[in-house]
Amino acid sequence: MNSHTTSHRGGGPEPQPFAGSRPTPGGTVRRTLLRTALTGAAALGAGLAAAPQATATTSTPGAPPRPGTPDEALRELAAGNRRWRAHRERHPHEDPALRRTLATAQRPFAVVLGCIDSRVPPELVFDQGLGDLMTVRTAGEVLDEAVLGSVAYGVLELAIPLVVVLGHQSCGAVRAAVQAEQSGERLPAHMQYLVDQIGPAIDHGAEGDARIDATVSANVRLVRSRLAAEPELAARVADGRLAIVGARYELTTQAVHRVA
């Protein structure tokens, strides 16, 4: 994520968001069910606490300004990753006043769908703080209905302008998928589901560790394309309100770069 325009919160070069989508049916029903469930949960919560709930468009008094466009969100993440790489982290948005503000509202500016790997926590990699990122983490960034619903909630209900699918170097889930295909062995319990989902992304044009590394990027592209095919996400991409970006984190350099 590199750019040449200064961010309002962190500074740094301006990466360009990915564009394009391929709509498929099914998103409307999924969103209706999600909205119904969330409405019911909000009603239950109202009976337990009297604190007001802010909507996605409500400004949060005392909170720092939020990037409002895909480009602004990308610039902020790029600036944060540069600070991380340079060991100049700010650990922003952790002060007591902001914590009190966040008790009644949240306005994150990006959804990051990343791997569960303990070495790649998005808030650290992008040097962000409380209320900045909505993170969803599964082994190998694998999608299921719960993940799709979580991403949709961030975009459709909180008006988040950016979704980043974040793969990483030396992904154990990708390695397991490649090795399982080569050996023909099935993994125990629910881990086979992960292998099955990553399998279509396996790059057969390389061998050994190169195949695993190439598959990391191919898997990011696959997951990103599946998200971009969701009709209601695709509509927001088409009118410029949303970017869905593929990226990967290099453990050796701590750099995040886009996956085309």
Side-chain angles (χ1 to χ4, degrees), residues 22-28 30 226 228-232 234:
R22 180 171 49 85
T24 58
T28 301
R30 186 176 294 118
R226 288 174 174 172
E230 290 294 308
E232 290 183 310

Side-chain angles (χ1 to χ4, degrees), residues 54-60 63-66 102 105-110 131-132 158 160:
T55 65
T57 56
T58 300
S59 62
T60 307
R66 180 186 85 154
L102 291 174
Q106 64 166 330
R107 299 187 70 241
F109 68 86
D132 293 332
L158 299 182
I160 291 175

Side-chain angles (χ1 to χ4, degrees), residues 1 16-18 74 162-166 224 243-247 258:
M1 293 182 174
Q16 296 301 315
F18 284 98
L74 280 167
L162 177 66
V163 176
V164 177
V165 179
L166 184 63
R224 182 204 165 273
I244 304 176
V245 175
R258 290 179 295 165

Side-chain angles (χ1 to χ4, degrees), residues 92-178:
H93 312 146
E94 299 178 359
D95 59 276
L98 181 60
R99 295 185 194 187
R100 290 191 294 270
T101 298
L102 291 174
T104 57
Q106 64 166 330
R107 299 187 70 241
F109 68 86
V111 176
V112 179
L113 170 56
C115 185
I116 61 171
D117 194 292
S118 63
R119 300 166 293 180
V120 196
E123 289 85 355
L124 295 184
V125 166
F126 293 115
D127 191 28
Q128 300 300 315
L130 295 173
D132 293 332
L133 304 180
M134 181 171 284
T135 59
V136 186
R137 301 179 68 178
T138 65
E141 308 87 61
V142 164
L143 294 176
D144 62 15
E145 285 297 304
V147 174
L148 285 168
S150 299
V151 173
Y153 173 70
V155 172
L156 303 177
E157 300 302 320
L158 299 182
I160 291 175
L162 177 66
V163 176
V164 177
V165 179
L166 184 63
H168 67 92
Q169 180 185 21
S170 301
C171 179
V174 169
R175 178 179 293 275
V178 171

Side-chain angles (χ1 to χ4, degrees), residues 158-258:
L158 299 182
I160 291 175
L162 177 66
V163 176
V164 177
V165 179
L166 184 63
H168 67 92
Q169 180 185 21
S170 301
C171 179
V174 169
R175 178 179 293 275
V178 171
Q179 292 177 341
E181 183 192 61
Q182 292 171 339
S183 69
E185 296 181 2
R186 291 185 62 83
L187 273 66
H190 299 287
M191 288 186 288
Q192 184 62 39
Y193 175 80
L194 303 173
V195 167
D196 292 340
Q197 293 298 305
I198 297 171
I202 293 176
D203 189 327
H204 296 99
E207 299 293 337
D209 288 343
R211 173 174 293 182
I212 295 168
D213 192 70
T215 300
V216 168
S217 296
N219 185 56
V220 168
R221 288 190 288 269
L222 176 63
V223 173
R224 182 204 165 273
S225 69
R226 288 174 174 172
L227 287 174
E230 290 294 308
E232 290 183 310
L233 301 185
R236 292 193 173 225
V237 170
D239 65 19
R241 289 179 292 168
L242 175 69
I244 304 176
V245 175
R248 57 179 280 170
Y249 176 71
E250 305 302 334
L251 297 173
T252 51
T253 64
Q254 295 86 57
V256 176
H257 61 89
R258 290 179 295 165

